[in-house]
Amino acid sequence: QVQLVESGGGLVQAGGSLRLSCVASGSVFRTYTMGWYRQAPGKQREFVAWITSGGSTNYKDSVKGRFTISRDNAVNTLYLQMNSLKPEDTAVYYCNALSSWGTSWGTPRTPWGLGTQVTVSS
């Protein structure tokens, strides 16, 4: 079973940038479609972006043009580059492998990690 460890969160002013990382255990990482999710206080966890093993990507509408998902299969790591951050991006961010996916959605297949907190001040 894949284990996931997210990092890279922090406190940033609106308009700033952060790069999140997610290290996955196991040799099957390269075969999985991987995704980022986030959960804001008092809200349900929501899909943010996914990337297939071949590098195709898809994003939630509100982050298109600001966030970029990428992966490095050599080191089993998933990334999320977040630019032009807004206060509404404040949330705990999680990564996961996906069992199914489509336009602006993805179904997680593994237990969640602890996530990494992103706080954007106005």
Side-chain angles (χ1 to χ4, degrees), residues 36-40 44-49 60 62 88:
W36 283 100
Y37 295 76
R38 65 187 182 188
Q39 187 167 19
Q44 288 190 332
R45 188 151 26 204
E46 65 177 6
F47 164 82
V48 174
K60 173 182 174 66
S62 63
E88 51 264 43

Side-chain angles (χ1 to χ4, degrees), residues 51-115:
I51 183 168
T52 67
S53 58
S56 296
T57 59
N58 186 256
Y59 298 90
K60 173 182 174 66
D61 283 348
S62 63
V63 308
K64 284 180 182 177
R66 300 189 298 122
F67 291 11
T68 302
I69 189 171
S70 62
R71 64 194 297 163
D72 185 343
N73 291 336
V75 291
N76 280 13
T77 304
L78 178 73
Y79 302 101
L80 186 68
Q81 177 66 44
M82 305 186 296
N83 299 328
S84 302
L85 282 161
K86 304 176 180 180
E88 51 264 43
D89 295 319
T90 294
V92 179
Y93 283 71
Y94 303 86
C95 63
N96 212 310
L98 306 186
S99 58
S100 58
W101 56 91
T103 301
S104 298
W105 68 270
T107 302
R109 66 159 69 210
T110 69
W112 296 102
L114 297 178

Side-chain angles (χ1 to χ4, degrees), residues 10-34:
L11 174 63
V12 63
Q13 289 189 329
S17 298
L18 284 173
R19 189 193 196 201
L20 307 184
S21 299
C22 165
V23 178
S25 65
S27 60
V28 295
F29 171 84
R30 64 181 64 240
T31 68
Y32 284 156
T33 291
M34 297 294 297

